[in-house]
Amino acid sequence: MRIGVFGGSFDPIHNGHIALSQAFVEVLSLEKVLVIPAFVSPFKQQDGAARPEQRLAMCRLAFADYPHTEVLDVELRREGPSYTVDTLRILSEIYPDSQLFLITGADAFLTLQNWREPQEIFRLATICTVPRDGNPVEKLQQHAEYLHTLGARTEIVDVQVIKVSSTEIRDRVKAGISLTGLVPDEVARYIAEQALYL
């Protein structure tokens, strides 16, 4: 089975995340995408963040109608900082005969060699990314060549990404601006009900 692994803080999940995951399903012929909210991202620790169980709930609401997508709480149950290598080890045991595709943002792709146990990450999964403002496809291809010298397999999928960020959404909530078109309606309702990001 070809399985995408899509981790992140998802604080909150937004339409850009959803579109990206579904683009990878289509382009890489993935049979499943596992969406995995981090308990504590080693790279993103901030005040005013939603609690882990709230971020998990928002992910489940966002992907409820996507049959190829499953939201897992594997990192939330583990607690502590969420390291990708640990998650990939667990998933390779759960899905022993599957091929894992780690979906990363362009910024993350350019720093993978600095993550915990990068060689093991490269052994366990194909590293996938998309170009984004400031990180054009040529820059990513150049870095992919470097990662190949470290043993990585890579896929750069040149698709249009929706220009929206979790930071922008949190700022809009604080300012009382509508989230229409940026997050699924169910997620917008949840944010309002839980009084998140105020």
Side-chain angles (χ1 to χ4, degrees), residues 122-192:
F122 302 152
R123 185 184 73 81
L124 292 168
T126 299
I127 314 301
C128 308
T129 195
V130 293
R132 197 169 179 181
D133 292 345
N135 292 313
V137 67
E138 296 79 14
K139 182 177 181 181
L140 297 177
Q141 286 170 341
Q142 186 177 22
H143 194 70
E145 289 173 13
Y146 167 64
L147 293 180
H148 295 164
T149 69
L150 303 178
R153 301 171 307 261
T154 63
E155 289 278 358
I156 299 170
V157 176
D158 196 1
V159 297
Q160 289 295 112
V161 295
I162 297 174
K163 293 182 180 179
V164 56
S165 73
S166 295
T167 302
E168 176 190 351
I169 291 166
R170 292 193 300 270
D171 289 345
R172 288 175 77 99
V173 172
K174 283 179 197 163
I177 301 171
S178 169
L179 300 181
T180 301
L182 299 180
V183 301
D185 292 343
E186 298 83 355
V187 172
R189 277 195 292 273
Y190 184 88
I191 289 171

Side-chain angles (χ1 to χ4, degrees), residues 112-128:
L112 269 162
Q113 66 279 2
N114 302 322
W115 291 19
R116 177 173 286 203
E117 297 185 56
Q119 241 75 35
E120 183 70 355
I121 291 174
F122 302 152
R123 185 184 73 81
L124 292 168
T126 299
I127 314 301
C128 308

Side-chain angles (χ1 to χ4, degrees), residues 48-137:
R51 295 192 308 275
E53 63 272 17
Q54 292 172 320
R55 293 185 287 108
L56 179 69
M58 286 188 282
C59 287
R60 287 183 168 151
L61 288 169
F63 287 102
D65 296 328
Y66 291 85
H68 293 291
T69 306
E70 184 180 349
V71 179
L72 299 184
D73 63 355
V74 59
E75 292 193 354
L76 304 190
R77 283 187 281 112
R78 194 167 66 229
E79 300 192 345
S82 298
Y83 292 106
T84 297
V85 66
D86 297 330
T87 301
L88 290 175
R89 283 190 179 113
I90 291 168
L91 296 178
S92 65
E93 290 175 8
I94 297 172
Y95 303 99
D97 299 319
S98 294
Q99 190 175 357
L100 300 179
F101 293 82
L102 179 65
I103 299 170
T104 69
D107 291 344
F109 183 82
L110 294 170
T111 65
L112 269 162
Q113 66 279 2
N114 302 322
W115 291 19
R116 177 173 286 203
E117 297 185 56
Q119 241 75 35
E120 183 70 355
I121 291 174
F122 302 152
R123 185 184 73 81
L124 292 168
T126 299
I127 314 301
C128 308
T129 195
V130 293
R132 197 169 179 181
D133 292 345
N135 292 313
V137 67

Side-chain angles (χ1 to χ4, degrees), residues 5-75:
V5 179
F6 191 20
S9 51
F10 302 124
D11 195 17
I13 189 87
H14 55 64
N15 289 344
H17 292 131
I18 297 168
L20 182 63
S21 70
Q22 300 313 298
F24 276 106
V25 167
E26 194 170 313
V27 175
L28 298 182
S29 301
L30 302 180
E31 295 156 83
K32 184 191 284 275
V33 175
L34 305 174
V35 174
I36 305 175
F39 181 73
V40 179
S41 169
F43 303 108
K44 294 184 181 178
Q45 298 185 29
Q46 60 200 21
D47 294 329
R51 295 192 308 275
E53 63 272 17
Q54 292 172 320
R55 293 185 287 108
L56 179 69
M58 286 188 282
C59 287
R60 287 183 168 151
L61 288 169
F63 287 102
D65 296 328
Y66 291 85
H68 293 291
T69 306
E70 184 180 349
V71 179
L72 299 184
D73 63 355
V74 59
E75 292 193 354

